[in-house]
Amino acid sequence: MNEPNTIVNPELRDLLAKKLDLRRRQFLDLDIAFPSRLRPCLIKVLLVADSFLYFSDEDFGLSDFIETLATTTPPWVKFEITCAHRGSPGHTRLGVGNPHVARTIANFRFDDASHFGNGMYDQVWFFGARTDSFEPATGTSPGKPPDSELKAIATFMDAGGGVFATGDHGALGAALCGHIPRVRSMRAWFADSAPFGAPTSTSMSDGHRHDTNRPGHDGVFSFDDQSDDIPQEIAPKMYLRRVGFFRYSFPHPLLCGPEGIIKVMPDHPHEGECTAAHETDRVFSFSGTDFTEYPSGAAGAPVLPEIIATSQVLPNNAHPGKSETQPKSFGSICTYDGAQAGVGRVVTDATWHHFININLTGTAGVPMSDPKSVGFLTPAGAPHYRKIQAYFRNIATWISPKARRDCMALRAIWWALWQERLLEAVTDGRPRRLGLMEIKELVTIGAFARDVLGKFAGRCQVRGWIIDPIRPVLPTFVVRELDPWIPRPELPEPPIPPDPAPWMDTEPLLDAVLGAQIVALRERFPEDPGEAEKGLEEEIQAISEKAAFHALTLYADAAEIATEGMNKFTLRFRESLR
């Protein structure tokens, strides 16, 4: 099969590239999609690294990851990136001069108000490489940050700030991350012995290491295979939901991309491990302030971390200086939905090799003629790279504080309103009026809108945007059916039997709600308002909420009619059996 760029006359290829680039920029033109007072949500992201990890273009740099957040995001959000290093690397390594970096800080400290003041950031990403050890006899760790820094981080998390943290094999990352509340028990940070009763990490050489490298194109295991375009396959946790006779399954929103379930990650010869160790009643104290490790959620139900993906080690993988591997699986991604308990969300990953340049776009340690010099930047690797980039964006979206998530949802619906597919669907030769439309029309328009949004956002993310505003007015059993990720202890299972409506599928309800919001907004704004007046955002929010309630009412009416029809059908069916 020809690659897309090989079916075009070479003389016309550059012209085609310019044309497609122009069309895409027009499609995402913020001046068209958003009035001046409804710009994309600004999410302030702080990246913190230490030791030999940097923000540059070198092999162990994070420039490819930074570029992903800055240039491939949906048009309704913008990530403002600050790069901070615990040491004082050179300007290039710190990120100075990178057009995608807003600010750089050397010798970063969390207890310095000019570095980490109140409200400066919405989320913090920790990339730890410096090691630390725990001494059981004394209960001390030489590399532990001072309590003043840990208190600042804990306060940020309890106020709703999002956190991502990762290290690598052994104790790499323990100094930066091994003592951070919640983070410390969601990953194995220490090599030989660990505080808090946490598990210990594996080494980089014995047969029990977490080697996820897959054989290269030559069919042979090689250390540098981590830089080719063949990823490892991960196993996402699937959340199963029963709706009457209907069955649905979903991955976690972090692994739900525009192109489907994300089942690939970069591979590496010795990864760390994510865990879900926890104690719900543990209280930790920093500088005289107490914090609860995992506070309870609604009605006192526990909200705990969970492994959402596992990686697999293939048998008999041996590199020079390393023993042959024993087959096994281990936790590769762990999440904590702190939003259910009124605090910030947390994500941990088995290794920063899923994020650094050498695993994404190749290594400088091979000749330019070697495919491993370009990583996933090949025709075969590009589809994998897009899914990995979607994972990066999903993390940044998911750990954002609630106010920022609500902001993204509102602007995403507003952006979708002006896309050609919805312009045609809502107009259809005549103006649409929400009060005159049937439920089936709203379901159709909502399905169009979900598809338009899903081209840029993870489809699970869009699902969450629709559910969250209507959650307070829905009955418990409907929330359970619509939200596959809600902590199960919070909602009792329905009695079995009877099933109240085995033939009723609640899935179209989401399309009806989104469709009603699109129709109502178009009814109010038949044309782009251009220069927005004060109060536009509040008006859009009010219209959306009213439209959502209208859709719920129509759905309830339709369910009542359907139930009556089913009762009549059942009576006639029984009569025919006599």
Side-chain angles (χ1 to χ4, degrees):
M1 178 178 177
N2 288 328
E3 296 298 332
N5 66 341
T6 65
I7 62 175
V8 180
N9 186 311
E11 288 78 13
L12 300 178
R13 191 172 298 150
D14 290 343
L15 178 62
L16 175 62
K18 292 179 181 179
K19 178 181 178 66
L20 293 177
D21 180 65
L22 176 62
R23 290 184 64 187
R24 181 173 178 81
R25 284 189 285 111
Q26 289 175 336
F27 182 69
L28 300 177
D29 191 338
L30 303 183
D31 291 329
I32 296 174
F34 296 100
S36 59
R37 299 186 66 85
L38 204 60
R39 291 298 188 188
C41 303
L42 183 66
I43 311 297
K44 298 179 181 180
V45 179
L46 172 65
L47 309 181
V48 182
D50 68 2
S51 190
F52 53 79
L53 293 180
Y54 306 110
F55 307 105
S56 57
D57 292 329
E58 56 196 291
D59 277 1
F60 276 62
L62 287 157
S63 60
D64 294 329
F65 163 72
I66 291 171
E67 184 175 11
T68 292
L69 287 191
T71 64
T72 71
T73 52
W76 47 81
V77 60
K78 178 181 179 181
F79 296 110
E80 181 183 275
I81 299 172
T82 296
C83 293
H85 200 278
R86 299 284 279 181
S88 54
H91 287 340
T92 300
R93 286 180 161 181
L94 188 57
V96 175
N98 187 327
H100 306 309
V101 175
R103 184 186 183 207
T104 60
I105 308 173
N107 297 308
F108 179 86
R109 295 297 178 268
F110 286 95
D111 53 4
D112 185 330
S114 66
H115 292 179
F116 195 65
N118 184 33
M120 290 177 65
Y121 308 104
D122 297 306
Q123 52 188 253
V124 182
W125 297 59
F126 295 87
F127 296 91
R130 182 184 167 195
T131 61
D132 188 14
S133 60
F134 174 67
E135 308 296 338
T138 61
T140 60
S141 294
K144 178 184 177 182
D147 279 6
S148 56
E149 288 199 89
L150 294 174
K151 177 181 177 180
I153 298 170
T155 301
F156 170 80
M157 297 167 73
D158 274 6
V163 163
F164 169 85
T166 186
D168 196 34
H169 67 274
L172 291 179
L176 181 60
C177 306
H179 299 274
I180 297 174
R182 299 168 196 138
V183 168
R184 64 189 185 182
S185 60
M186 290 174 58
R187 193 183 176 282
W189 296 103
F190 294 85
D192 299 317
S193 58
F196 327 116
T200 54
S201 183
T202 59
S203 74
M204 65 181 293
S205 58
D206 67 29
H208 297 285
R209 71 184 181 278
H210 293 152
D211 189 334
T212 62
N213 254 14
R214 294 319 189 239
H217 291 286
D218 57 4
V220 179
F221 286 113
S222 168
F223 189 94
D224 285 336
D225 288 337
Q226 68 171 332
S227 298
D228 63 16
D229 58 3
I230 301 175
Q232 63 165 304
E233 291 190 11
I234 62 172
K237 174 181 178 179
M238 299 304 292
Y239 297 76
L240 307 179
R241 289 296 177 263
R242 179 181 64 85
V243 184
F245 292 148
F246 302 91
R247 299 292 185 273
Y248 297 99
S249 63
F250 303 84
H252 191 277
L254 262 60
L255 298 175
C256 187
E259 299 181 38
I261 301 174
I262 300 171
K263 298 181 179 180
V264 296
M265 284 291 150
D267 51 4
H268 178 61
H270 34 256
E271 300 191 9
E273 179 179 9
C274 290
T275 67
H278 54 262
E279 292 182 20
T280 58
D281 57 351
R282 178 187 288 154
V283 175
F284 46 92
S285 180
F286 300 124
S287 299
T289 302
D290 291 338
F291 299 90
T292 302
E293 186 84 74
Y294 295 110
S296 299
V303 181
L304 302 172
E306 59 179 339
I307 300 296
I308 67 161
T310 56
S311 290
Q312 289 74 43
V313 178
L314 299 182
N316 306 319
N317 187 351
H319 308 301
K322 298 180 184 292
S323 303
E324 292 188 348
T325 53
Q326 302 294 319
K328 64 185 296 188
S329 63
F330 63 94
S332 53
I333 305 172
C334 184
T335 63
Y336 167 65
D337 189 3
Q340 300 289 342
V343 298
R345 288 172 165 173
V346 183
V347 175
T348 59
D349 193 291
T351 177
W352 30 253
H353 276 280
H354 295 164
F355 297 80
I356 63 174
N357 300 338
I358 193 173
N359 299 88
L360 298 176
T361 56
T363 174
V366 299
M368 289 296 292
S369 59
D370 190 325
K372 294 171 186 175
S373 68
V374 294
F376 290 108
L377 301 181
T378 66
H384 302 313
Y385 195 28
R386 290 196 299 270
K387 291 180 179 179
I388 294 166
Q389 289 178 307
Y391 168 60
F392 298 163
R393 295 191 300 268
N394 286 345
I395 297 173
T397 300
W398 193 77
I399 66 174
S400 292
K402 183 181 184 305
R404 297 293 181 265
R405 298 197 304 272
D406 292 344
C407 174
M408 284 185 276
L410 182 71
R411 280 155 174 76
I413 293 175
W414 179 258
W415 174 83
L417 182 66
W418 305 105
Q419 303 312 306
E420 285 80 358
R421 187 174 179 186
L422 289 182
L423 285 171
E424 290 183 308
V426 176
T427 303
D428 196 23
R430 58 186 174 85
R432 300 292 186 100
R433 297 290 182 266
L434 181 60
L436 302 177
M437 296 182 67
E438 297 181 6
I439 187 74
K440 61 181 181 181
E441 294 179 282
L442 298 181
V443 170
T444 299
I445 293 173
F448 286 161
R450 272 217 272 181
D451 187 57
V452 167
L453 291 170
K455 303 295 185 185
F456 292 88
R459 296 177 184 272
C460 300
Q461 181 184 110
V462 176
R463 185 183 190 88
W465 287 343
I466 303 172
I467 294 172
D468 286 346
I470 61 177
R471 190 187 304 271
V473 301
L474 293 176
T476 299
F477 76 92
V478 175
V479 174
R480 183 190 60 247
E481 292 175 353
L482 293 177
D483 187 349
W485 310 288
I486 192 168
R488 303 306 289 167
E490 292 194 11
L491 298 173
E493 292 293 335
I496 301 176
D499 191 321
W503 300 94
M504 182 64 65
D505 184 6
T506 53
E507 194 68 12
L509 175 59
L510 299 178
D511 291 325
V513 168
L514 183 56
Q517 292 173 326
I518 293 293
V519 171
L521 288 171
R522 173 50 45 75
E523 187 175 344
R524 169 63 182 86
F525 301 102
E527 297 181 358
D528 190 323
E531 185 67 21
E533 297 180 0
K534 184 177 181 180
L536 174 64
E537 185 167 357
E538 290 78 6
E539 183 178 7
I540 293 174
Q541 183 68 46
I543 292 172
S544 298
E545 291 175 356
K546 185 176 179 180
F549 187 79
H550 179 78
L552 296 178
T553 302
L554 288 183
Y555 184 86
D557 293 341
E560 183 176 1
I561 294 172
T563 301
E564 292 176 357
M566 182 57 65
N567 289 337
K568 292 179 181 179
F569 170 83
T570 303
L571 289 174
R572 294 183 63 183
F573 189 79
R574 285 188 179 280
E575 290 175 356
S576 69
L577 298 177
R578 293 172 182 171

